[in-house]
Amino acid sequence: MLRKLFFSFSQDIEKVMADKLTQVLKATKVEVIDTSGGCGSMYRLEIESPEFQGKSKVKQHQMVVDALKAELAGAHGYSIKTNIPK
């Protein structure tokens, strides 16, 4: 039961993060993957957004972290991959 509850929470927070990135960064592609096995402590984020155009990778990653400040507060770690649409 507890594992099922964690899994449900993980899926919910992944959707919340994906929706927020889509809205805030006008992302054209978003992948939010819980890499912690379902407990929500580690994430892999892949975002493609025209908002990244002309910005360094560091600035792009800062934009992602700023957009998800509340959602990432409880995470132990995350990896971010950003791209500009072709």
Side-chain angles (χ1 to χ4, degrees):
M1 173 72 173
L2 190 55
R3 179 165 169 73
K4 192 174 194 178
L5 188 62
F6 275 131
F7 185 70
S8 176
F9 171 76
S10 178
Q11 285 182 323
D12 292 344
I13 195 70
E14 288 173 35
K15 181 167 176 16
V16 167
M17 287 194 282
D19 290 348
K20 196 167 196 180
L21 290 167
T22 300
Q23 181 182 17
V24 173
L25 298 178
K26 299 174 182 71
T28 55
K29 180 182 174 191
V30 177
E31 276 190 57
V32 178
I33 300 164
D34 181 349
T35 58
S36 65
C39 73
S41 63
M42 298 280 295
Y43 293 97
R44 184 175 78 227
L45 309 167
E46 294 186 21
I47 306 97
E48 184 175 278
S49 171
E51 298 292 307
F52 297 147
Q53 186 70 44
K55 298 185 175 65
S56 70
K57 282 291 184 184
V58 170
K59 181 61 179 169
Q60 293 172 20
H61 289 207
Q62 287 172 340
M63 292 167 68
V64 172
V65 172
D66 287 346
L68 298 178
K69 193 164 288 212
E71 293 78 8
L72 293 175
H76 293 282
Y78 47 87
S79 66
I80 300 172
K81 180 179 178 185
T82 54
N83 292 302
I84 300 164
K86 294 180 182 175

